[in-house]
Amino acid sequence: MNNLFRKKSIHMMLEQSKGHVLKRTLGALDLTLLGIGAIIGTGIFVLTGIVAAQSAGPALIISFILAGIACALAALCYAEFSSSVPISGSVYTYTYATMGEFFAFLIGWDLMLEYLLAVSSVATGWSAYFQSLLNGFGLHIPKILSSAPGSGHGGMVDLPAILIILLITTLLSRGVESSAKINNIMVAVKLIVVLGFILVGVFYIKPSNWHPFMPFGFSGVLTGAATVFFAFLGFDAVATASEEVKNPQKNVPIGIISSLAVCTILYILVSLILTGIVPYNLLNVNDPVSFALKFIGHYKIAGLISFGALAGITTVLLVMMYGQVRISFAISRDGLLPKIFSTVHKKYKTPYVNTWITGLVAATIAGFVDLTTLAHLVNIGTLAAFSLISIAVIIMRKTHPNLKRAFKVPLVPLLPIISAACCIYLMSSLPSLTWKAFIIWIAIGGVVYFMYGRKHSHLN
């Protein structure tokens, strides 16, 4: 039993990270754009419409505010950890230092699923906008190759989703510096597009479309908040980049908090305008922002929005896959997963094989599973991770009171407790099928730990 809860000292973590040299190339602006790149994407360009139509109605804005508050509290906890333990692995690493190996492995296992499914679901949204753009030029992908089975569109495989993941995999396997530069350019395009939608759409709002404001009741708003929580996932990926950041103690907290603040404001504005332009019951589409502009007759601008959405969603793919690879890299480096996941390419200085394994699995899932199912599964994993990091901050304050912290969460333990409570409450709003799938995945993780991880752990 003692072995299950053995902890890894922060000194040991810092020393071990020196053995796998990842290049430190990212600054505060890179991290902020990395966060924005991950946060503004499928959540704003795809899930807004689906959640408005199925769960929240015009009260979608309240769903985003609730999810944003829960994320802001978790973000403060992330900022404290990343400023004091600047190592790849995010919540996995922080849990290893506070709660012990077994909990660390399970949350790492959970994060691996979370990011993997996030990549797949984002690729599904990318595919919808890509096809919308092609349709504008009179080009059409055969139905059988354009959507996953069960999505209701008569498809057998989502080929565009598979191809974009393979392209991102190729890019990431070559190095984070070039990936960051491409991300920064696409984030700029994405922000211009989002601001363009806000400036055009604000003149077409009909307040009558906001009535009834809460057609599915407050329970629908909570379900909506739990679903759009997926849209805020990006700042977690910023924490996974700690080992590749110049001056991580200062720059990582800046990147986490600033990216979340910018994106929350934009989400609220877009959801308000979207439901003001189009009656909520018509928004059950995979490209709601583009659809809204077509609804008011702006077909050319809708085409530009589709192009910008493609750029925006591509950055999310980039950051999500980056995050997944860095999580599995950290777990493997501790001996809890096979060594192949932490092997660094001599030329590119990246976990090359790990990146390709992740890309191929994510592409397969994206090709054959529909978006709504994926989004729910990602959310429960995210909320579980956020709950644990909130608790871990309290433990770290007790066990390491003298640890140097460049950023501190205010009002500990009150704010972390509220953060964990918010996340657990949102988890309770997710469908029972999502809970069953989550429990099965965690059970599989337990088997992997006892069959492989416990024996091969470097702490063993």
Side-chain angles (χ1 to χ4, degrees), residues 73-413:
L73 294 171
L76 294 174
C77 300
Y78 269 98
E80 175 166 328
F81 266 111
S82 60
S83 70
S84 51
V85 190
I87 302 168
S88 284
S90 186
V91 184
Y92 160 76
T93 299
Y94 311 147
T95 305
Y96 213 154
T98 53
M99 298 183 193
E101 185 174 277
F102 182 60
F103 280 118
F105 181 82
L106 287 185
I107 201 62
W109 184 255
D110 164 55
L111 285 170
M112 285 171 61
L113 178 71
E114 170 197 320
Y115 277 111
L116 191 67
L117 294 182
V119 170
S120 301
S121 57
V122 170
T124 304
W126 187 95
S127 174
Y129 272 94
F130 179 67
Q131 292 176 58
S132 175
L133 188 64
L134 287 183
N135 293 345
F137 293 102
L139 302 172
H140 303 277
I141 296 174
K143 278 191 175 183
I144 198 169
L145 301 175
S146 63
S147 61
S151 61
H153 301 294
M156 292 298 292
V157 61
D158 195 335
L159 186 60
I162 291 174
L163 294 177
I164 187 59
I165 289 178
L166 296 180
L167 180 63
I168 293 295
T169 304
T170 303
L171 183 65
L172 276 176
S173 66
R174 299 300 181 95
V176 69
E177 188 172 7
S178 58
S179 302
K181 288 176 181 175
I182 292 170
N183 177 70
N184 294 352
I185 293 167
M186 288 193 287
V187 167
V189 172
K190 172 163 58 177
L191 288 175
I192 290 168
V193 164
V194 172
L195 292 172
F197 172 74
I198 292 169
L199 292 173
V200 172
V202 72
F203 296 104
Y204 293 88
I205 289 175
K206 292 181 179 177
S208 59
N209 287 331
W210 291 328
H211 301 285
F213 184 67
M214 208 178 286
F216 302 97
F218 193 67
S219 62
V221 172
L222 286 177
T223 301
T227 306
V228 299
F229 205 88
F230 167 80
F232 289 96
L233 184 60
F235 72 82
D236 173 64
V238 174
T240 69
S242 294
E243 273 184 59
E244 289 155 284
V245 178
K246 295 176 283 188
N247 193 3
Q249 287 85 355
K250 175 186 175 184
N251 290 334
V252 176
I254 291 173
I256 289 173
I257 294 168
S258 58
S259 60
L260 183 64
V262 170
C263 295
T264 302
I265 293 167
L266 291 176
Y267 273 171
I268 290 170
L269 290 173
V270 168
S271 58
L272 193 65
I273 290 169
L274 191 65
T275 53
I277 294 174
V278 184
Y280 74 89
N281 57 311
L282 300 179
L283 285 171
N284 195 20
V285 293
N286 279 348
D287 56 345
V289 176
S290 177
F291 175 81
L293 289 169
K294 291 175 185 174
F295 187 81
I296 56 178
H298 283 285
Y299 288 91
K300 289 184 179 178
I301 298 177
L304 291 173
I305 290 289
S306 292
F307 176 76
L310 279 177
I313 296 173
T314 302
T315 64
V316 181
L317 278 170
L318 193 72
V319 181
M320 293 299 179
M321 187 176 294
Y322 172 85
Q324 204 285 341
V325 172
R326 292 325 182 258
I327 293 287
S328 49
F329 170 85
I331 298 172
S332 170
R333 187 170 59 187
D334 292 330
L336 302 176
L337 285 176
K339 191 175 180 181
I340 194 169
F341 288 98
S342 58
T343 303
V344 176
H345 195 282
K346 289 182 180 179
K347 179 181 178 182
Y348 300 124
K349 299 294 181 185
T350 62
Y352 192 85
V353 177
N354 185 348
T355 304
W356 274 102
I357 291 172
T358 300
L360 292 171
V361 174
T364 303
I365 296 170
F368 298 99
V369 184
D370 70 284
L371 176 64
T372 306
T373 303
L374 288 170
H376 281 151
L377 286 168
V378 172
N379 288 334
I380 196 166
T382 308
L383 288 161
F386 288 1
S387 302
L388 266 187
I389 195 171
S390 302
I391 296 166
V393 162
I394 301 171
I395 296 172
M396 185 71 96
R397 286 286 185 94
K398 294 288 185 184
T399 57
H400 296 78
N402 299 320
L403 181 67
K404 185 180 177 182
R405 295 169 171 87
F407 177 88
K408 284 188 173 184
V409 179
L411 300 176
V412 173

Side-chain angles (χ1 to χ4, degrees), residues 3 6 96 101 334 452-460:
N3 286 347
R6 55 194 173 196
Y96 213 154
E101 185 174 277
D334 292 330
Y452 182 91
R454 188 165 63 107
K455 192 185 302 181
H456 292 85
S457 167
H458 293 326
L459 289 187
N460 190 24

